[in-house]
Amino acid sequence: MDYQQFFWYDPHHTREQEAIYPPIETKYFEESLDAYGSLLEHGKIVLESLSSSKEKMSSLMDAAQEGKDEEVDKIIKSTGVPTIVNTSYTPTGVTFTLYADAETVTNCCTLTMYLRWG
């Protein structure tokens, strides 16, 4: 038996059975890449603002520990980040999820940052 022929030839498989894909279009991918670059910059704004202020860090942790979601949101907005940020937290850390501007590509991308704090 010729094994090379066995692996290269399947009489039950035809070219018509292979998936047909649409032509490659990079427009949305390019827009997503651009939007993600902005998300990285916005994430940096949040990180630098929090890391430059022990008071802001403490306020964020205190508000989270007390379950004051509106206060947590207010502290994150005070960082000056122009992007929507969803914040969730546990006793051991905080997660920031930043969403790309919907004007470019709807729901193209998100940036999620998890930071340990306990």
Side-chain angles (χ1 to χ4, degrees):
M1 175 181 245
D2 183 10
Y3 286 103
Q4 185 175 11
Q5 182 180 6
F6 176 78
F7 288 111
W8 289 97
Y9 175 71
D10 179 359
H12 304 291
H13 179 81
T14 62
R15 174 77 72 191
E16 291 79 31
Q17 292 173 327
E18 292 181 19
I20 298 173
Y21 297 102
I24 299 297
E25 174 55 59
T26 62
K27 177 186 173 198
Y28 293 120
F29 190 40
E30 289 176 46
E31 289 178 6
S32 293
L33 290 168
D34 289 341
Y36 206 81
S38 295
L39 282 177
L40 290 172
E41 291 299 319
H42 296 168
K44 188 175 179 180
I45 290 170
V46 172
L47 297 176
E48 288 177 348
S49 178
L50 291 172
S51 67
S52 68
S53 171
K54 288 203 183 258
E55 181 181 323
K56 198 175 283 189
M57 282 187 260
S58 295
S59 295
L60 178 69
M61 293 176 75
D62 285 340
Q65 187 174 14
E66 295 172 14
K68 296 180 179 177
D69 295 337
E70 289 179 11
E71 183 65 22
V72 169
D73 292 341
K74 182 179 170 185
I75 293 165
I76 296 305
K77 285 180 184 176
S78 77
T79 65
V81 66
T83 305
I84 296 170
V85 180
N86 182 17
T87 306
S88 60
Y89 39 84
T90 66
T92 59
V94 62
T95 301
F96 301 115
T97 304
L98 288 75
Y99 297 90
D101 183 12
E103 292 177 13
T104 54
V105 179
T106 305
N107 299 322
C108 78
C109 38
T110 59
L111 171 64
T112 302
M113 303 182 296
Y114 171 77
L115 301 159
R116 184 173 175 186
W117 65 19

